[in-house]
Amino acid sequence: MRTRTIAGREVLSIGLGGMALDEYNPKPREEDAIELLKFAVDSGVNLIDTADVYGLGRNETLIGKALSDEQKEKVLIATKAGLKRPGGTGWTTHGNPDHIKEAIKGSLERLGVDKIELYMLHAVDPEVPLMGSLKAFKELQLEGLVKNIGVSNFSLEQLKEAQKLIKVVSVENHFSLSFKGDEQELLPYLTENKIAFLPYFPLGGGKLMGDKKLNEIAKELNLTSSQVALAWITTKWETAIPIPGTQNKEHL
């Protein structure tokens, strides 16, 4: 299988998004979710994406419980901070520097690690200066709590602004055959500068599976629609590492 690099580290060209284990109903039991994560790593998955708000922290806890200390060294665990969920539902930005510095403590504890290998700002907070949020990430990196910094839900303009302060090793955005907004500006820039791109919802949140044209192409190639949709991304964009999510071994 093809490999890609994030900050010089080699990973498979397709990672695993942990969000599906906590944000889609019915949620799997803890033991079933842990078993799936173990199966994924045993099958060769070496990039797992999560965030402090997925499952209100449960997602990070599942990963922390599922992986051994040795596996945590071999698997690139990427997590994010910068959102909050008032009342446990919905999503609002929370890029306050103090919040970010506090949030990492919980992520480190839940994941059972001493350092976050890839820590991302989950989204730009319009109420907080971008440089203020990013400065908190930079300070955490200087403290040795973060190895690499990434960003999520960013435009090219925001990325270039961020690069004035930090080395951005990855961008995680919504992208798929049915949501191709980043093709015009952001993706060419990431490709030219060899910055990893982590497309979330690369299968269109499952909606792509009903696309007639995609299904016809998949049938001609004797592949599944999911395989074609993921292959389109990885073939077209050489730094892209899709992070589809799942709740069962067969789909994985």
Side-chain angles (χ1 to χ4, degrees):
M1 190 174 184
R2 296 176 182 173
T3 60
R4 299 282 155 92
T5 58
I6 300 179
R9 176 162 177 172
E10 193 173 89
V11 297
L12 294 183
S13 59
I14 298 178
L16 176 64
M19 179 182 172
L21 294 174
D22 277 298
E23 297 300 332
Y24 302 146
N25 290 318
K27 296 178 183 179
R29 298 177 304 168
E30 179 175 300
E31 53 265 41
D32 293 334
I34 288 174
E35 184 180 346
L36 177 70
L37 288 164
K38 288 180 180 292
F39 175 76
V41 174
D42 290 341
S43 299
V45 170
N46 58 359
L47 168 64
I48 299 178
D49 174 83
T50 184
D52 61 347
V53 289
Y54 296 165
L56 302 178
R58 177 180 183 256
N59 208 252
E60 290 179 328
T61 299
L62 291 171
I63 295 168
K65 289 182 176 181
L67 275 59
S68 67
D69 290 341
E70 183 180 359
Q71 288 172 324
K72 289 171 187 175
E73 293 291 327
K74 294 180 179 180
V75 176
L76 196 167
I77 301 173
T79 192
K80 302 179 283 291
L83 293 185
K84 62 180 179 179
R85 306 186 70 176
T89 60
W91 311 81
T92 59
T93 52
H94 195 7
N96 183 281
D98 290 336
H99 166 73
I100 291 167
K101 291 180 180 179
E102 189 64 29
I104 195 172
K105 297 177 184 177
S107 291
L108 289 167
E109 182 178 350
R110 289 187 290 269
L111 290 169
V113 296
D114 297 323
K115 178 186 288 188
I116 303 295
E117 182 153 4
L118 178 55
Y119 202 41
M120 294 176 274
L121 176 60
H122 208 146
V124 175
D125 187 339
E127 303 297 323
V128 178
L130 177 57
M131 286 304 185
S133 298
L134 294 174
K135 186 178 179 181
F137 279 81
K138 182 67 174 180
E139 291 175 356
L140 291 172
Q141 188 179 48
L142 292 173
E143 290 174 24
L145 298 178
V146 172
K147 184 174 182 180
N148 298 297
I149 300 172
V151 296
S152 180
N153 299 299
F154 263 54
S155 66
L156 177 57
E157 181 181 358
Q158 291 166 336
L159 170 60
K160 289 183 176 180
E161 183 69 15
Q163 288 178 309
K164 295 176 183 178
L165 178 65
I166 60 173
K167 180 180 179 180
V168 179
V169 304
S170 66
V171 177
E172 180 177 321
N173 280 2
H174 182 185
F175 184 76
S176 71
L177 267 169
S178 60
F179 198 88
K180 300 185 284 188
D182 284 334
E183 283 206 308
Q184 298 303 313
E185 296 182 345
L186 181 65
L187 271 162
Y189 181 85
L190 297 181
T191 302
E192 180 182 353
N193 291 277
K194 294 179 169 51
I195 298 171
F197 181 59
L198 309 181
Y200 68 83
F201 294 153
L203 300 178
K207 297 175 183 178
L208 267 174
M209 300 309 96
D211 185 276
K212 183 179 179 180
K213 185 176 181 180
L214 177 61
N215 288 332
E216 288 175 354
I217 293 171
K219 186 176 181 180
E220 287 178 16
L221 298 173
N222 196 30
L223 298 170
T224 67
S225 297
S226 297
Q227 288 172 320
V228 175
L230 293 174
W232 175 79
I233 295 174
T234 58
T235 301
K236 190 169 186 179
W237 300 105
E238 64 186 43
T239 71
I241 310 167
I243 47 172
T246 187
Q247 292 187 350
N248 67 78
K249 295 178 181 179
E250 292 75 18
H251 186 214
L252 187 140

